[in-house]
Amino acid sequence: MRIIDLHCDTPSAVFNTKCDIEDNSLHISLEKAKSFKPYIQVAAIWSDCNYNDNDAYERFHLIYSDFTEKCASSGIKICTSAADVEKVTSNNETGVILAVEDARIAGGNIDVIDELYNLGVRFLTMTWSDNSCIGGAFNTENGLTDFGRNVLSKCFELGIIPDISHASKQLSHEVISMGEKAGKPVVATHSNSYTICPLTRNLTDDEFVRLRDMNSIVGISMAIQHIRTDYETAGCKISDIISHINHYISLGGEDTVCLGCDFDGIGKAPDGI
C-alpha cells in the first residue's frame, strides 16, 4: 500500500522523549510503518508555544539535527524535490519531507526563510496560535503582518509551500489570494471541514473550494476535537472522519482531500485508528 501523509509532529516527539525513530511508543515509527511501501511523511518541527521566538528558533536547530541524524542512520530519505519523491516511490522506500509548524521562528528576519530552505524545509505552517510576527492564528481576527507578506513572497520565490492550517480566516484569505495572484500552491496540511465541525480552526467550504481551484491539497486531521464538537460525550469514530472526507468530496474535492493525521501532535486518536 502506498501512503503519503501531510502532517505529523514526530520530530519534536522523538526529540522530547529521546527515543529512536525505528521502534518506539509514539504514533509513528519505522516498525509501525513497515507495511507501507512506499511511505512518505511530511514531518513538522513545531515552534513550541512555551518558548519565545528566539528560543523556538534555537530549539528548531536542535530538533532538526536530532531528527535528520536519526533519519540518516535509519535509511530514511529526506526529500527536497519532486525528483526525490519519485525516486523514493519507484524504489518502494521511506521518505520524509521536512516542515516547520509556525513561521514565527523567523523572528522578523527574512534571511531565516532562506536558511530553512537550504536545510531542506519545503512546507511552512504560517501560524499556530495567537498573534505573531507573521500574523494572526485561528483564535484571532488578524491577517498577515507586513513581515508575514514578505515571508510568503519569499516562500513563493524559493519553493517552500505555505500552509494555512491554524490560520485566522483573514490570514487564510490573504495567503490564498497571494497564491492565486502568484500562481503558486498553498495547502492546508491538517484542516477538517467547518461545515461538519464548526470550529474556526477548520476550513470553510469557500476556503476549501478556493484551494481546490488552485489544484492544492487539504489533509484530514485525526485530532478528535477537530472532527466533532461533541466528542467528549459522543466519542469519535472512523465514520466521523469519513464524514469530513465525504463532505470535501461533495465539493468536488476528490483530487484535493488527503491525509494530514497530526500523529504525535494529538493525544487520543479516534476509536479504530
Side-chain angles (χ1 to χ4, degrees), residues 38-245:
Y39 169 50
I40 297 176
Q41 177 69 58
V42 179
I45 298 175
W46 177 44
S47 306
D48 193 329
C49 61
N50 293 308
Y51 296 86
N52 63 37
D53 294 358
N54 183 65
D55 289 345
Y57 168 79
E58 297 295 335
R59 187 174 172 82
F60 160 80
H61 280 281
L62 294 174
I63 297 172
Y64 172 87
S65 297
D66 177 72
F67 187 67
T68 54
E69 288 171 8
K70 287 174 177 175
C71 284
S73 65
S74 299
I76 301 172
K77 312 295 184 183
I78 305 295
C79 299
T80 61
S81 67
D84 289 344
V85 172
E86 291 295 338
K87 185 176 180 180
V88 167
T89 300
S90 61
N91 293 336
N92 282 326
E93 295 175 326
T94 296
V96 160
I97 303 172
L98 294 174
V100 166
E101 188 170 23
D102 200 347
R104 70 180 178 86
I105 63 169
N109 181 1
I110 197 67
D111 292 339
V112 170
I113 307 304
D114 289 280
E115 178 186 8
L116 295 179
Y117 181 83
N118 291 333
L119 288 172
V121 172
R122 293 297 181 266
F123 286 86
L124 183 63
T125 310
M126 301 300 288
T127 58
W128 191 77
S129 184
D130 302 318
N131 293 300
S132 72
C133 60
I134 303 297
F138 68 95
N139 56 346
T140 79
E141 297 181 353
N142 297 321
L144 289 166
T145 63
D146 289 341
F147 177 69
R149 294 184 189 92
N150 290 337
V151 166
L152 189 59
S153 295
K154 176 62 75 170
C155 287
F156 291 152
E157 173 192 331
L158 294 173
I160 296 176
I161 301 175
D163 173 21
I164 60 169
S165 293
H166 290 275
S168 71
K169 295 308 174 192
Q170 180 60 31
L171 190 142
S172 174
H173 168 72
E174 292 179 20
V175 172
I176 294 173
S177 294
M178 287 181 66
E180 290 170 335
K181 184 175 180 180
K184 298 291 186 177
V186 171
V187 300
T189 58
H190 55 305
S191 293
N192 296 340
S193 169
Y194 181 91
T195 297
I196 302 299
C197 181
L199 303 172
T200 55
R201 171 65 179 75
N202 288 341
L203 291 184
T204 64
D205 288 355
D206 178 67
E207 289 172 315
F208 181 85
V209 167
R210 291 179 72 188
L211 291 172
R212 178 204 69 190
D213 290 346
M214 297 171 69
N215 294 318
S216 295
I217 50 179
V218 175
I220 295 291
S221 167
M222 300 296 143
I224 56 177
Q225 65 270 31
H226 301 151
I227 296 172
R228 57 184 303 162
T229 54
D230 60 349
Y231 68 91
E232 290 184 325
T233 55
C236 185
K237 307 181 292 294
I238 291 177
S239 58
D240 298 312
I241 301 167
I242 294 172
S243 294
H244 288 265
I245 295 172

